[in-house]
Each structure stands twice: as structure tokens, then as C-alpha cells.
């Protein structure tokens, strides 16, 4: 097996899809600064940039777990593929947010039920993120762990909740 430090981002993404969770940690470490800087440049608001950044990585985790990544180009370009922010105004972000609120409230109700089956550390991160609307930075500071640990706990919570949702035929897709 190749050393993670010598792998390209594309190889790390494939390794993560094959079950190597440490590969995603390395991928996050390598790409987070550039992605956040890009988002901040486009939206010009630190809080909005944090939210978009966090949702982008949660979406990336979900896509990778579903095997929806093919290394046809740079991983960073793939990350931005569904997140092209160049044409987005703050009004469009607000309108999209309003429309998604209704659907998200339904999903959060189901999530709340599934959360009871999670380990305490995972349940805590999900609660803080979705019910207290805290950023991963705030969650990390509150729980005394790193941002990467907070993201990791969320990743495992999503894996566990997705498994429970499949077993109980519950659709959990936030918009």
C-alpha cells in the first residue's frame, strides 16, 4: 500500500472510497485552506463561507461514500463542480435557503429520531451542528477537540444514520 503522504489528492479520494478513512483526513488537510479561501473570496462573508465550506465537505463525504467520484481531473475541481459560486448573489443564497428550510425541517425530525441510536460523541456533534446551528469550528471549541475530529465524528454519525435510515426505509436528504 502506498504511503498517504505520497498519494495525489485523486488517489486519496479513491483510497477513501475503498474504506481508508485516514485518506480522507489527509485529503481534508490538504484541500481545506484553498477551498475555504475560494469560497470566502466569492461570498465575502466569513460565516457564510464557513457554512458553505462545511456543507461542501459533508456533501463530498456523501458522494465519495456512494462511489460518485471518478478521477477524470483534479480533485479540487470535482469538489467545486456542484458548488460553482461564481454566479451566486447573496439574494439567491437567501432564496435557496428559504425554499430548503421546509424540506430540511422534515429531515431534521427524522434525524432527531435516529440520533438516539448514535454514540454520545456523534450525537453531540449532530445536535450542535443541525439543532444549535453551530459551525464545526464552534463545535470543536465547545467540545475541546480539533475541527478535523469534529468533522470525523460527523462523518461517522452520517454513516451510522444512513445505515439506520436504509434499514428503516427513511429518506434523509437535506437541500
Amino acid at each position: 500500500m502506498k504511503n498517504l503522504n505520497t498519494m495525489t489528492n485523486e488517489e486519496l479520494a479513491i483510497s477513501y472510497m475503498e474504506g481508508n478513512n485516514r485518506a480522507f483526513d489527509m485529503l481534508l488537510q490538504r484541500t481545506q485552506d484553498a477551498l475555504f479561501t475560494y469560497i470566502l473570496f466569492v461570498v465575502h462573508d466569513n460565516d457564510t463561507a464557513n457554512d458553505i465550506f462545511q456543507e461542501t465537505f459533508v456533501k463530498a463525504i456523501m458522494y465519495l461514500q456512494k462511489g460518485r467520484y471518478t478521477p477524470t481531473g483534479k480533485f479540487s475541481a470535482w469538489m467545486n463542480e456542484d458548488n460553482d459560486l461564481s454566479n451566486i448573489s447573496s439574494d439567491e443564497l437567501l432564496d435557496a435557503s428559504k425554499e430548503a428550510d421546509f424540506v430540511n425541517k422534515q429531515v431534521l425530525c427524522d434525524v432527531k429520531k435516529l440520533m438516539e441510536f448514535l454514540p454520545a460523541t456523534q450525537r453531540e456533534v449532530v445536535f450542535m451542528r443541525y439543532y444549535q446551528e453551530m459551525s464545526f469550528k464552534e463545535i470543536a471549541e465547545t467540545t475541546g477537540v480539533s475541527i478535523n475530529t469534529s468533522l470525523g465524528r460527523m462523518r461517522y454519525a452520517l454513516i451510522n444514520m444512513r445505515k439506520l435510515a436504509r434499514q428503516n426505509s427513511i429518506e434523509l436528504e437535506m437541500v
Side-chain angles (χ1 to χ4, degrees):
M1 178 182 215
K2 202 171 180 183
N3 182 338
L4 293 178
N5 292 323
T6 61
M7 288 181 158
T8 66
N9 291 348
E10 295 74 26
E11 290 171 324
L12 289 170
I14 292 169
S15 182
Y16 174 67
M17 288 191 313
E18 293 170 347
N20 184 348
N21 290 328
R22 288 181 47 235
F24 185 82
D25 294 337
M26 176 66 72
L27 193 55
L28 173 65
Q29 181 183 359
R30 284 186 187 174
T31 59
Q32 64 187 356
D33 290 339
L35 179 61
F36 181 79
T37 302
Y38 166 71
I39 294 169
L40 184 59
F41 175 76
V42 173
V43 300
H44 303 291
D45 179 73
N46 202 45
D47 291 336
T48 303
N50 272 318
D51 288 343
I52 293 170
F53 171 78
Q54 292 160 11
E55 294 303 325
T56 299
F57 265 99
V58 169
K59 186 190 293 187
I61 291 168
M62 292 170 36
Y63 279 17
L64 288 168
Q65 288 174 345
K66 291 178 182 178
R68 294 175 65 186
Y69 170 73
T70 52
T72 56
K74 293 260 185 207
F75 178 79
S76 58
W78 176 81
M79 285 283 292
N80 289 323
E81 189 173 285
D82 289 333
N83 296 301
D84 181 13
L85 305 173
S86 59
N87 300 333
I88 295 178
S89 70
S90 58
D91 289 341
E92 288 171 325
L93 285 172
L94 185 60
D95 289 343
S97 177
K98 287 178 184 176
E99 292 175 12
D101 279 346
F102 179 75
V103 173
N104 292 346
K105 285 179 184 177
Q106 297 286 80
V107 172
L108 290 175
C109 182
D110 290 334
V111 168
K112 190 178 261 186
K113 293 173 188 171
L114 293 175
M115 282 173 48
E116 297 305 315
F117 298 98
L118 294 175
T121 56
Q122 293 173 19
R123 186 172 52 242
E124 178 181 51
V125 171
V126 172
F127 180 78
M128 289 178 173
R129 178 70 184 124
Y130 291 110
Y131 294 94
Q132 294 182 327
E133 298 181 358
M134 295 172 69
S135 68
F136 284 105
K137 180 180 179 185
E138 293 169 325
I139 293 169
E141 290 170 355
T142 301
T143 58
V145 298
S146 70
I147 291 176
N148 287 346
T149 299
S150 294
L151 284 167
R153 288 178 179 172
M154 178 61 82
R155 179 178 71 225
Y156 289 118
L158 290 173
I159 291 168
N160 290 332
M161 287 193 304
R162 195 173 298 114
K163 181 179 175 184
L164 288 166
R166 266 194 312 271
Q167 292 170 348
N168 294 289
S169 301
I170 298 171
E171 188 68 32
L172 295 177
E173 189 154 337
M174 301 283 286
V175 291

